Amino acid sequence: MASVNPYSVLAECYDDVMAHVDYDEWAWFVQQLCDHHDHAPGNVLELGCGTGIFASLFTLLDGVTSYRAVDASPDMIAVALKKNARVDADFAVQSFAELKSDPPGSRGYDTVLLLYDGLNYLMESEAIDELLARVSTVLRPGGLFIFDQSTPANSLNNESFFEDSGFSGPIRFIRKSSYDPETAIHTTEFELAKNGVVYKEKHLQRCYSGPQIQVIIEPSPLKIEGGYSGFSLEPADTESERIHWVVRKP
Ligand SMILES: C[S@@+](CC[C@H](N)C(=O)[O-])C[C@H]1O[C@@H](n2cnc3c(N)ncnc32)[C@H](O)[C@@H]1O
């Protein structure tokens, strides 16, 4: 078995592996969040965009004037470029750590997005501090950063241990997932069989609680406007499995 980087071989079958995710609902919900905060999406930067499924839907919504979608994985971006030729978005490889302040004179993004667990890949709180600081440098004053996090409740309720498998074109995938409440680390291992070779990807995510993320955001340059439970406009609580944060650059 060959160990490979997360989101390398998986990129090719990612959309099939994530077929259970309702991205239409997600795009609609993010638009609701913008409306709720009296904000037009305008020019958007999506971080951790993966294969661009969300981008392909959100770019169609009212109020989006331009869209840049970036991800650290060259393989995910290669798939995004291949399948989204008709999507009005600019895809590029860029990690959170490579996010730089806009050149002097540029206006900055109206909206920065980071959706579906991208934050959970940051294993230390210092990396989240850094991300918030970097996002602040690329947002215009008054711009919004909307991001989600998966919580320990999500792993405990749904994914403390599960295994599934399936086919995607020439790839057979097996996904095994487990959660360690002591370390709050959620591990997902993929076995991806292609052309007689089995590739293995190990994905580690930290499951922060809502209060832990709140404490990290508070001293950052961004101001919390809401932390919402799941795909609702109800405030997040200890039962929330996913939280959408809306934070604004003053
Ligand atoms: C679960 S996928 C979600 C992808 C996409 N947002 C979606 O909804 O399908 C998480 C994504 O975060 C990206 N990612 C993880 N750590 C990153 C980092 N430090 N910088 C940029 N992207 C990162 C991964 O490459 C992967 O594409």
Side-chain angles (χ1 to χ4, degrees), residues 194-209:
K194 184 184 169 189
N195 299 335
V197 182
V198 180
Y199 301 91
K200 186 170 175 175
E201 290 191 13
K202 186 172 181 178
H203 296 218
L204 297 180
Q205 292 175 259
R206 173 147 283 146
C207 298
Y208 299 93
S209 68

Side-chain angles (χ1 to χ4, degrees), residues 68-124:
R68 179 171 164 82
V70 298
D71 195 283
S73 160
D75 298 291
M76 294 292 265
I77 290 296
V79 173
L81 285 166
K82 194 170 163 190
K83 74 186 182 91
N84 293 312
R86 291 178 178 204
V87 174
D88 193 9
D90 170 25
F91 290 99
V93 178
Q94 190 179 49
S95 72
F96 304 151
E98 291 164 331
L99 194 56
K100 287 199 185 70
S101 62
D102 284 346
S106 62
R107 184 170 161 269
Y109 291 98
D110 296 303
T111 309
V112 176
L113 303 174
L114 172 59
L115 300 166
Y116 200 10
D117 295 2
L119 187 89
N120 295 90
Y121 279 86
L122 297 176
M123 302 301 281
E124 307 296 336

Side-chain angles (χ1 to χ4, degrees), residues 47-60:
L47 306 175
C49 69
T51 59
I53 312 172
F54 184 90
S56 69
L57 299 165
F58 202 70
T59 45
L60 301 174

